[in-house]
Amino acid sequence: MSAGSIAKGVAEAEEIDPLGPNVVLDRSLMAAFPEGSNVLEVTPSGVSAWVKTVKIDIQLPDGTVKSYFKKGAPGHRGLGMMEGTYMSEKLIHSFIPEHVPAPLAFGSYESLPNMHYYICDYGDMTDDLPDPARFGQTFAKLHLNSMGKSPTGRYGFPLTTHLAFVPNDNTWTDTWSEWFSNAMKKMLEEEERSHGQDDKLDQLKEPLFAKVIPGLLRPMETGSNRIEPCLCHSDVWPGNIKPNANNGEVMMLDSCAFWGHHECTKPTSISMSELKDDSNHQMTNLADLGCCRAPRYGMGRAYVEEYFKCIPPSKPEEDFEDRLALYAMRYDLLHSALFPKEPQFRATAMVEMQRLVDKYPEGFQEPAVR
């Protein structure tokens, strides 16, 4: 599904979710609330190009007033987006319930079966950046609480999830290197749908998969080095990580969960040495730390340092910068897939890809037997 068709479906949803007091909502949507609930008001909540978002104030049968958040998207992919959000949020909520709005339901509209929704508790949050210490502690809590609890003991997730409308390959794998290779291949396919084939990029793909990915990721699972799957949010950026308006605690929402390596939270391309030299640089999404690498997000080295007070980098630690760059590259390709008229994201990814290909020509080397 293209960005244009997603946007068209979101516009169509205007007629399904009327705004204002005492409006009538779709019967399927109302079935998610306790029987006998009444709609008090529906108002816009947030802005998104890929989903329609509203706040729904409900009077419950006992007279209590409660607010809910709803997002919706069209088509088969839209249904997958809503189901993936529900399953992701439900699982993350089970590990850190105080930091995630409780999921309520997902489903399809009765009046327009091609339109689908996700509903959760409404959280009153500010648009400020989260406190670095609380950010680090919250993500460390998620990772530590879930570490080693993958239901299969493997890397992956039981269904397809979506970053915006871009699907992830969450096929279960025995090793992190294998999972990340599959995820990167899928992201490159989606990016090519938006920007077309590129000879130079094609030339870089072979050494990326044959040399760079195993060279950087397999050492973490070789010899005495060990990593365990933990639950990753994987769509970490200021729009999804906000302070609770009442107590300042970090709230996370709109996850795209998988069982992965704790460092892999959503990076973009600048190095740790640059971060140390310039406090104005920001990192992002390492699966969950990577966002701290993207200057556009305003979350800098302090966020990563606070996280590492709770969980240190994996061994070999000297590879951390390049692992982060590798993880970040996937998110540069994501942005390229999302914005077909913007060439800079592909260009950024290719520069970093070339650097890593040049640096790791030998790929993974088995440790010498002593």
Side-chain angles (χ1 to χ4, degrees):
M1 178 173 286
S2 69
S5 60
I6 287 280
K8 181 176 183 293
V10 170
E12 290 173 351
E14 294 284 353
E15 299 179 4
I16 302 175
D17 296 323
L19 303 178
N22 305 312
V23 297
V24 177
L25 295 179
D26 183 271
R27 287 200 298 180
S28 176
L29 200 65
M30 287 301 301
F33 305 118
E35 186 176 357
S37 297
N38 295 309
V39 178
L40 297 179
E41 189 171 19
V42 178
T43 54
S45 179
V47 178
S48 172
W50 321 122
V51 293
K52 175 165 174 58
T53 56
V54 295
K55 176 188 175 187
I56 304 174
D57 295 326
I58 294 287
Q59 185 176 48
L60 301 175
D62 64 1
T64 303
V65 176
K66 187 170 182 178
S67 297
Y68 295 89
F69 172 83
K70 190 237 77 175
K71 69 176 183 177
H76 176 73
R77 185 166 292 191
L79 178 60
M81 291 162 62
M82 299 303 106
E83 182 181 14
T85 298
Y86 176 79
M87 296 302 292
S88 294
E89 296 287 84
K90 184 178 180 180
L91 191 54
I92 292 180
H93 182 268
S94 72
F95 287 108
I96 49 169
E98 65 275 26
H99 297 287
V100 180
L104 180 65
F106 79 94
S108 303
Y109 285 85
E110 181 179 296
S111 57
L112 187 60
N114 195 46
M115 184 64 64
H116 317 287
Y117 62 82
Y118 164 75
I119 308 172
C120 66
D121 286 355
Y122 180 84
D124 191 9
M125 294 169 263
T126 74
D127 289 327
D128 299 328
L129 289 175
D131 174 74
R134 285 178 165 176
F135 171 93
Q137 293 162 6
T138 301
F139 276 91
K141 185 189 299 185
L142 170 62
H143 296 160
L144 289 171
N145 287 357
S146 63
M147 191 80 70
K149 296 179 182 177
S150 165
T152 64
R154 307 167 81 197
Y155 297 92
F157 204 65
L159 76 165
T160 299
T161 52
H162 296 75
L163 289 160
F165 63 84
V166 176
N168 293 305
D169 184 345
N170 285 327
T171 304
W172 293 107
T173 64
D174 292 324
T175 69
W176 171 239
S177 178
E178 184 182 2
W179 186 90
F180 188 81
S181 291
N182 291 343
M184 182 65 91
K185 287 175 184 176
K186 179 63 175 176
M187 190 61 71
L188 282 162
E189 289 173 4
E190 294 294 326
E191 195 274 345
E192 189 170 304
R193 292 181 198 274
S194 290
H195 288 269
Q197 182 269 343
D198 181 89
D199 289 342
K200 177 62 175 176
L201 183 56
D202 286 345
Q203 292 171 8
L204 289 169
K205 289 178 186 178
E206 182 177 352
L208 174 70
F209 290 105
K211 303 294 185 181
V212 174
I213 292 177
L216 281 172
L217 303 189
R218 285 187 61 185
M220 294 189 294
E221 301 178 276
T222 299
S224 62
N225 294 340
R226 292 288 182 271
I227 57 174
E228 287 189 281
C230 71
L231 192 61
C232 296
H233 180 290
S234 100
D235 196 9
V236 179
W237 67 288
N240 290 343
I241 309 297
K242 294 175 175 288
N244 184 306
N246 298 315
N247 59 21
E249 288 295 329
V250 173
M251 299 296 293
M252 58 178 77
L253 53 146
D254 208 19
S255 60
C256 183
F258 62 84
W259 293 92
H261 180 216
H262 68 91
E263 288 178 351
C264 185
T265 283
K266 189 175 178 179
T268 313
S269 306
I270 66 170
S271 72
M272 284 298 290
S273 59
E274 288 178 299
L275 287 170
K276 292 173 182 176
D277 291 339
D278 185 351
S279 60
N280 291 322
H281 275 134
Q282 307 104 17
M283 287 190 64
T284 197
N285 250 34
L286 248 156
D288 282 333
L289 299 181
C291 62
C292 306
R293 216 167 181 265
R296 61 184 174 272
Y297 292 145
M299 298 170 68
R301 62 187 178 88
Y303 290 82
V304 178
E305 291 174 353
E306 291 293 339
Y307 176 85
F308 285 145
K309 289 179 181 178
C310 305
I311 305 179
S314 299
K315 296 179 180 179
E317 293 185 22
E318 61 268 23
D319 290 346
F320 170 77
E321 287 187 31
D322 288 335
R323 288 197 302 265
L324 180 60
L326 177 65
Y327 297 155
M329 187 192 305
R330 180 167 165 260
Y331 290 92
D332 288 328
L333 292 167
L334 166 66
H335 282 87
S336 186
L338 292 174
F339 302 105
K341 295 182 180 180
E342 301 291 339
Q344 69 268 27
F345 297 112
R346 172 182 274 189
T348 297
M350 288 179 65
V351 168
E352 197 63 26
M353 201 179 298
Q354 183 69 68
R355 183 185 73 81
L356 293 175
V357 166
D358 292 342
K359 187 172 180 178
Y360 295 93
E362 302 301 322
F364 174 68
Q365 301 293 306
E366 290 283 356
V369 178
R370 295 186 180 183

